[in-house]
Amino acid sequence: MDYIKSRIRDVNDFPSPGIVFKDLTTVFKDPRALHIIGWDLSQLYRDKGVTKVVGIESRGFIGGSILAFELGAGFVPARKPGKLPADTIRQEYAKEYGTDVIEIHRDAIGPDDIVVLHDDVLATGGTMAAAYKLVKSLNPKKIYINFIIELSALNGRAALPADAEVTSLIVY
Ligand code: AMP
């Protein structure tokens, strides 16, 4: 974990003043760190019978795909509105300014699925809470929530359902 931590780049004042952005591109470009991420993420879910990993656009696509591959599960993208070509369901959620929407294909998840929802960073939790509602409405057997990084000072866990099993590889 120390090796991954050493590869994370803090970028000050991105995307706006006062934000310290946890940049994972410096982890993903490093072959050893990428390998460790895949292994460490998958170890969390090895014995759980996971059938689908849902990655949240767009930084959640990277770790989510790796996790799905490692687990022998399928990958499902949760995307910004208007990006998915077939029949979708949508969930609106509040942002700091205004609202946002995420969508997934209606046929992406079914009642036999055991799902891991994945994003790179847990900040306020608004995005993941919306993704959870979306996936929950498709009635899978079980939903796990996963992040590479959790920014605990922002208390994003409070925005997530109390009964959800939330796991982060690295907590700041
Ligand atoms: P949230 O506030 O938890 O809904 O976070 C929204 C999205 O912004 C997440 O998908 C994260 O990838 C990203 N994000 C928020 N804050 C940061 C940060 N400090 N560093 C990197 N990514 C962030």
Side-chain angles (χ1 to χ4, degrees):
M1 211 60 71
D2 285 350
Y3 187 74
I4 297 177
K5 274 187 168 171
S6 75
R7 302 288 96 180
I8 295 168
R9 173 164 59 189
D10 284 358
V11 183
N12 290 318
D13 301 319
F14 182 89
S16 44
I19 306 276
V20 181
F21 192 85
K22 295 289 181 191
D23 179 17
L24 283 163
T25 64
T26 41
V27 174
F28 297 138
K29 78 170 181 179
D30 182 302
R32 186 174 156 209
L34 188 64
H35 187 80
I36 294 171
I37 284 272
W39 179 256
D40 286 356
L41 286 179
S42 64
Q43 285 309 97
L44 300 171
Y45 300 102
R46 269 299 167 214
D47 55 350
K48 310 244 188 257
V50 173
T51 57
K52 302 264 172 64
V53 177
V54 176
I56 298 178
E57 183 165 0
S58 54
R59 289 181 292 272
F61 290 173
I62 304 163
S65 302
I66 295 167
L67 176 57
F69 181 82
E70 287 280 345
L71 291 175
F75 177 79
V76 172
R79 298 210 61 180
K80 290 169 182 154
K83 302 283 188 187
L84 289 168
D87 187 23
T88 56
I89 56 170
R90 67 198 327 255
Q91 180 67 49
E92 217 175 78
Y93 60 101
K95 299 273 279 185
E96 199 179 349
Y97 304 105
T99 59
D100 220 333
V101 173
I102 52 168
E103 296 182 342
I104 61 172
H105 278 141
R106 192 183 295 278
D107 63 1
I109 308 275
D112 291 333
D113 279 318
I114 297 175
V115 178
V116 178
L117 281 172
H118 171 87
D119 204 356
D120 64 338
V121 176
L122 171 60
T124 67
T127 311
M128 186 54 88
Y132 184 91
K133 274 191 206 157
L134 200 56
V135 170
K136 182 90 178 159
S137 73
L138 295 171
N139 291 312
K141 271 192 200 149
K142 173 93 185 161
I143 306 172
Y144 298 96
I145 296 180
N146 173 259
F147 302 93
I148 298 174
I149 293 173
E150 175 173 346
L151 303 173
S152 58
L154 297 174
N155 198 23
R157 281 194 187 230
L160 301 175
D163 60 340
E165 278 182 51
V166 183
T167 310
S168 312
L169 270 190
I170 296 165
V171 179
Y172 287 101

